[in-house]
Amino acid sequence: MFRTLREKDFEAIRNSALSRQTPSNLAGAFIICIPLLWLMYFLVFYVAGDAMGDVTNYPLFSEMMLICFWFTVVLTVLMSVFTFRYFYMKFQKIQYILAIVLSHALFSLSVYLAALFIIGKSDRVSEDVLTKITLISLSSMVLVVIVTIIRFIILLNKGAYRKGTAKDIQRVFLCASCCYSFNRLSYQPANDYK
């Protein structure tokens, strides 16, 4: 069923990643994301979870807060290390994995936990209901990930991500249009806007 994949099967994905996600760009993003990561920690646990006041009814809230605190500390230390050229050039794959973990921590896990903690503030919601909501939503997310992986493998085996395919042309077009509009807006003098 699965054939051996070669580098040319990934060329459309590889080219778009190489053009934007260089080690030095990721290092710059890490510098910006360190305060954002701590801001999201504060918003999730002290605003949505309200650790200082009306604490959420979510089960094991304080334990989750402690685990996420240490996770954030470790992630901050790793991001700080990978802002130095010696480390990000020597361990590029680890830096890329760290960038993926960071993006999930900032944009998916934080929002998910905040939503659960806000739901848990309601007096009408018990711990049992919160546990069921969590299990249902996590099961749905796992199902979406599995379907996405299967779809990606099927498309890879069909050669959809090779150079010159519709996916490659679509990625090049989107990248070019985004870069064009960004460059057009950022380099024109203010009086040229009509």
Side-chain angles (χ1 to χ4, degrees):
M1 179 175 171
F2 295 109
R3 63 180 178 84
T4 305
L5 297 172
R6 293 177 298 279
E7 189 173 335
K8 70 178 184 177
D9 295 324
F10 295 92
E11 199 160 346
I13 300 167
R14 183 177 175 270
N15 289 339
S16 67
L18 287 177
S19 64
R20 293 182 303 243
Q21 298 173 351
T22 63
S24 61
N25 286 350
L26 290 177
F30 286 171
I31 292 170
I32 295 168
C33 287
I34 289 172
L36 288 177
L37 187 63
W38 284 102
L39 175 66
M40 288 304 287
Y41 177 81
F42 173 77
L43 291 175
V44 168
F45 289 100
Y46 289 93
V47 176
D50 204 5
M52 303 305 284
D54 181 29
V55 179
T56 183
N57 295 330
Y58 197 81
L60 304 172
F61 173 75
S62 56
E63 289 83 355
M64 288 177 67
M65 186 174 170
L66 183 66
I67 290 169
C68 286
F69 173 78
W70 286 110
F71 174 76
T72 305
V73 167
V74 169
L75 203 54
T76 300
V77 169
L78 288 172
M79 285 190 305
S80 300
V81 167
F82 278 98
T83 59
F84 295 105
R85 183 176 174 78
Y86 172 78
F87 292 105
Y88 72 69
M89 291 307 288
K90 189 168 183 169
F91 305 104
Q92 291 181 19
K93 291 179 182 176
I94 295 173
Q95 184 197 31
Y96 191 71
I97 291 170
L98 186 63
I100 293 169
V101 170
L102 171 68
S103 65
H104 285 288
L106 275 177
F107 304 113
S108 58
L109 181 64
S110 298
V111 176
Y112 178 69
L113 288 176
L116 290 175
F117 295 159
I118 291 170
I119 292 170
K121 283 186 179 180
S122 174
D123 294 333
R124 296 178 283 173
V125 180
S126 66
E127 285 188 12
D128 186 44
V129 171
L130 287 170
T131 304
K132 287 179 183 176
I133 290 172
T134 304
L135 289 175
I136 291 170
S137 61
L138 286 176
S139 300
S140 301
M141 284 187 258
V142 167
L143 183 64
V144 167
V145 168
I146 289 171
V147 168
T148 303
I149 289 171
I150 291 171
R151 180 180 174 274
F152 185 67
I153 290 171
I154 290 170
L155 287 174
L156 275 174
N157 284 327
K158 286 183 177 180
Y161 291 102
R162 290 184 178 169
K163 188 173 183 167
T165 61
K167 295 275 185 194
D168 183 38
I169 293 168
Q170 179 183 17
R171 285 177 180 270
V172 168
F173 175 73
L174 286 174
C175 181
S177 64
C178 290
C179 292
Y180 171 73
S181 62
F182 175 75
N183 289 338
R184 185 175 57 91
L185 293 175
S186 62
Y187 292 116
Q188 278 188 341
N191 58 2
D192 285 353
Y193 290 112
K194 304 273 191 259

